[in-house]
Protein backbone atom coordinates (compact mmCIF):
# COMPACT_ATOMS: atom_id res chain seq x y z
CA UNK A 1 0.00 0.00 0.00
CA UNK A 2 3.00 2.32 0.23
CA UNK A 3 3.08 2.55 -3.61
CA UNK A 4 -0.39 4.03 -3.99
CA UNK A 5 0.65 7.65 -3.35
CA UNK A 6 3.22 7.38 -6.17
CA UNK A 7 0.79 5.97 -8.74
CA UNK A 8 -1.32 9.13 -9.06
CA UNK A 9 1.63 11.50 -9.67
CA UNK A 10 3.25 9.11 -12.16
CA UNK A 11 -0.01 8.58 -14.09
CA UNK A 12 -0.67 12.32 -13.99
CA UNK A 13 2.78 13.09 -15.38
CA UNK A 14 2.33 10.52 -18.16
CA UNK A 15 -1.06 11.93 -19.11
CA UNK A 16 0.31 15.47 -19.09
CA UNK A 17 3.17 14.38 -21.35
CA UNK A 18 0.79 12.62 -23.73
CA UNK A 19 -1.48 15.66 -23.78
CA UNK A 20 1.41 17.95 -24.65
CA UNK A 21 2.51 15.59 -27.41
CA UNK A 22 -1.03 15.36 -28.80
CA UNK A 23 -1.37 19.13 -28.87
CA UNK A 24 1.92 19.64 -30.67
CA UNK A 25 1.03 17.15 -33.44
CA UNK A 26 -2.45 18.53 -34.14
CA UNK A 27 -1.05 21.11 -36.55
CA UNK A 28 0.15 20.72 -40.10
CA UNK A 29 3.65 22.19 -39.98
CA UNK A 30 4.52 21.32 -43.57
CA UNK A 31 3.59 22.86 -46.90
CA UNK A 32 1.15 20.77 -48.92
CA UNK A 33 2.76 20.06 -52.30
CA UNK A 34 1.29 21.26 -55.60
CA UNK A 35 2.46 18.10 -57.38
CA UNK A 36 2.75 14.44 -56.44
CA UNK A 37 5.83 12.86 -58.01
CA UNK A 38 5.64 15.27 -60.93
CA UNK A 39 1.87 15.23 -61.48
CA UNK A 40 0.17 18.54 -60.69
CA UNK A 41 -2.48 18.33 -57.96
CA UNK A 42 -4.04 21.30 -56.18
CA UNK A 43 -3.02 21.48 -52.52
CA UNK A 44 -6.69 22.25 -51.76
CA UNK A 45 -7.61 18.75 -52.94
CA UNK A 46 -4.93 17.10 -50.79
CA UNK A 47 -5.52 19.12 -47.62
CA UNK A 48 -8.53 17.19 -46.26
CA UNK A 49 -6.75 13.86 -46.81
CA UNK A 50 -3.46 14.68 -45.09
CA UNK A 51 -2.88 14.43 -41.34
CA UNK A 52 -1.12 16.89 -39.06
CA UNK A 53 2.64 16.57 -38.78
CA UNK A 54 5.98 18.24 -39.30
CA UNK A 55 7.45 16.86 -42.53
CA UNK A 56 5.95 15.60 -45.79
CA UNK A 57 7.78 13.61 -48.45
CA UNK A 58 6.94 11.76 -51.66
CA UNK A 59 8.54 8.70 -53.22
CA UNK A 60 7.95 7.37 -56.73
CA UNK A 61 7.64 3.61 -57.00
CA UNK A 62 7.68 2.29 -60.56
CA UNK A 63 9.32 -1.11 -60.20
CA UNK A 64 6.41 -2.97 -61.79
CA UNK A 65 5.90 -2.59 -65.54
CA UNK A 66 2.75 -0.61 -66.32
CA UNK A 67 2.27 0.57 -62.73
CA UNK A 68 3.43 3.74 -60.97
CA UNK A 69 2.78 4.81 -57.38
CA UNK A 70 3.50 8.07 -55.64
CA UNK A 71 3.74 7.34 -51.94
CA UNK A 72 3.15 10.30 -49.64
CA UNK A 73 4.53 10.16 -46.11
CA UNK A 74 4.09 12.49 -43.16
CA UNK A 75 6.70 12.23 -40.44
CA UNK A 76 7.97 9.01 -41.99
CA UNK A 77 4.59 7.24 -42.09
CA UNK A 78 2.91 6.54 -45.44
CA UNK A 79 -0.47 8.28 -45.40
CA UNK A 80 -1.56 8.64 -49.03
CA UNK A 81 -0.80 6.95 -52.34
CA UNK A 82 -1.81 7.90 -55.85
CA UNK A 83 -0.85 6.07 -58.99
CA UNK A 84 -1.53 4.74 -62.43
CA UNK A 85 -2.01 1.25 -63.78
CA UNK A 86 -2.40 -0.02 -67.33
CA UNK A 87 -5.21 -2.56 -67.62
CA UNK A 88 -6.44 -4.73 -70.46
CA UNK A 89 -8.59 -2.66 -72.81
CA UNK A 90 -12.24 -2.60 -71.74
CA UNK A 91 -11.58 -3.55 -68.10
CA UNK A 92 -14.36 -2.27 -65.86
CA UNK A 93 -13.77 -0.19 -62.75
CA UNK A 94 -15.73 -2.68 -60.68
CA UNK A 95 -13.45 -5.49 -61.83
CA UNK A 96 -10.36 -3.39 -61.09
CA UNK A 97 -11.77 -2.63 -57.64
CA UNK A 98 -11.43 -6.29 -56.75
CA UNK A 99 -7.63 -5.95 -56.60
CA UNK A 100 -6.98 -2.26 -55.87
CA UNK A 101 -6.44 -1.37 -52.21
CA UNK A 102 -9.10 0.62 -50.34
CA UNK A 103 -11.64 0.29 -53.17
CA UNK A 104 -14.51 -2.20 -53.31
CA UNK A 105 -16.63 -3.21 -56.29
CA UNK A 106 -19.76 -1.93 -54.53
CA UNK A 107 -18.35 1.58 -53.88
CA UNK A 108 -20.10 4.64 -55.28
CA UNK A 109 -19.76 5.34 -58.99
CA UNK A 110 -20.12 8.69 -60.72
CA UNK A 111 -23.01 9.09 -63.18
CA UNK A 112 -20.66 9.08 -66.16
CA UNK A 113 -19.08 5.81 -65.00
CA UNK A 114 -15.55 7.25 -64.98
CA UNK A 115 -14.87 7.06 -61.22
CA UNK A 116 -15.46 4.59 -58.40
CA UNK A 117 -14.81 5.98 -54.91
CA UNK A 118 -15.24 5.57 -51.17
CA UNK A 119 -14.04 7.55 -48.17
CA UNK A 120 -10.60 5.88 -48.28
CA UNK A 121 -9.93 4.99 -51.92
CA UNK A 122 -10.81 5.64 -55.54
CA UNK A 123 -10.10 4.60 -59.10
CA UNK A 124 -10.80 6.44 -62.32
CA UNK A 125 -10.48 6.07 -66.06
CA UNK A 126 -7.86 8.32 -67.61
CA UNK A 127 -8.61 9.86 -70.98
CA UNK A 128 -5.41 9.73 -73.01
CA UNK A 129 -5.23 11.69 -76.27
CA UNK A 130 -2.21 9.63 -77.42
CA UNK A 131 -1.81 6.69 -75.01
CA UNK A 132 1.67 5.26 -74.52
CA UNK A 133 0.06 1.82 -74.78
CA UNK A 134 -2.55 1.39 -77.48
CA UNK A 135 -3.92 -1.95 -76.30
CA UNK A 136 -4.97 -0.99 -72.80
CA UNK A 137 -6.82 1.41 -70.54
CA UNK A 138 -5.03 3.62 -68.05
CA UNK A 139 -6.56 3.81 -64.59
CA UNK A 140 -5.70 6.33 -61.89
CA UNK A 141 -5.83 5.25 -58.26
CA UNK A 142 -5.82 7.00 -54.89
CA UNK A 143 -5.99 5.77 -51.31
CA UNK A 144 -5.48 7.07 -47.79
CA UNK A 145 -3.75 4.95 -45.17
CA UNK A 146 -4.12 7.19 -42.15
CA UNK A 147 -7.14 6.65 -39.89
CA UNK A 148 -9.15 9.82 -39.46
CA UNK A 149 -8.24 11.32 -42.82
CA UNK A 150 -10.76 9.48 -44.95
CA UNK A 151 -13.26 11.74 -46.72
CA UNK A 152 -15.59 10.55 -49.49
CA UNK A 153 -16.19 13.95 -51.12
CA UNK A 154 -12.48 14.80 -51.01
CA UNK A 155 -11.56 11.42 -52.49
CA UNK A 156 -14.03 11.91 -55.36
CA UNK A 157 -12.57 15.35 -56.15
CA UNK A 158 -8.98 14.08 -55.88
CA UNK A 159 -9.43 11.12 -58.24
CA UNK A 160 -11.16 13.28 -60.86
CA UNK A 161 -8.43 15.94 -60.77
CA UNK A 162 -5.61 13.39 -60.62
CA UNK A 163 -6.99 11.39 -63.57
CA UNK A 164 -7.29 14.62 -65.59
CA UNK A 165 -3.69 15.62 -64.74
CA UNK A 166 -2.41 12.13 -65.67
CA UNK A 167 -4.23 12.52 -69.02
CA UNK A 168 -1.93 15.47 -69.73
CA UNK A 169 1.22 13.66 -68.61
CA UNK A 170 3.91 11.65 -70.43
CA UNK A 171 1.80 8.52 -69.92
CA UNK A 172 -0.75 9.95 -72.33
CA UNK A 173 0.98 12.34 -74.69
Amino acid sequence: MQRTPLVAPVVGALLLGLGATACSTQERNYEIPSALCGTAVSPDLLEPLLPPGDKISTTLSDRTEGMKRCLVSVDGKQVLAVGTEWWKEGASLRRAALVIANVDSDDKETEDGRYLYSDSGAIGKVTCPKPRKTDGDLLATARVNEPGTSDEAAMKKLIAAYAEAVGKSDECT
Side-chain angles (χ1 to χ4, degrees):
M1 293 293 167
Q2 293 285 338
R3 293 185 200 161
T4 305
L6 281 176
V7 172
V10 169
V11 170
L14 285 172
L15 290 174
L16 183 61
L18 288 173
T21 302
C23 288
S24 66
T25 60
Q26 294 303 313
E27 293 181 11
R28 191 174 289 123
N29 296 318
Y30 56 84
E31 185 176 333
I32 297 173
S34 59
L36 297 177
C37 299
T39 302
V41 178
S42 170
D44 293 341
L45 297 174
L46 298 172
E47 190 271 333
L49 300 169
L50 295 172
D54 293 318
K55 184 180 178 192
I56 191 167
S57 63
T58 59
T59 305
L60 178 64
S61 174
D62 60 356
R63 296 175 295 214
T64 304
E65 177 65 30
M67 186 183 292
K68 292 183 181 178
R69 294 277 177 274
C70 183
L71 309 173
V72 181
S73 297
V74 172
D75 296 338
K77 182 177 180 184
Q78 186 184 328
V79 296
L80 175 70
V82 295
T84 58
E85 294 184 24
W86 283 100
W87 279 70
K88 183 178 177 181
E89 192 171 11
S92 75
L93 292 180
R94 297 213 181 270
R95 181 172 176 210
L98 297 173
V99 296
I100 294 177
N102 292 29
V103 184
D104 292 315
S105 60
D106 61 348
D107 283 346
K108 291 183 179 177
E109 187 172 5
T110 57
E111 284 186 33
D112 61 7
R114 288 194 59 205
Y115 309 105
L116 194 66
Y117 62 96
S118 69
D119 62 348
S120 62
I123 54 178
K125 294 178 183 176
V126 177
T127 301
C128 287
K130 295 180 183 178
R132 186 172 57 85
K133 293 178 104 181
T134 57
D135 61 342
D137 292 330
L138 185 59
L139 300 183
T141 64
R143 74 173 187 265
V144 292
N145 298 332
E146 181 70 15
T149 57
S150 54
D151 181 323
E152 188 175 273
M155 188 59 67
K156 180 181 176 184
K157 289 177 185 176
L158 174 62
I159 197 61
Y162 185 70
E164 183 178 332
V166 168
K168 298 173 185 173
S169 74
D170 289 345
E171 283 293 309
C172 288
T173 57

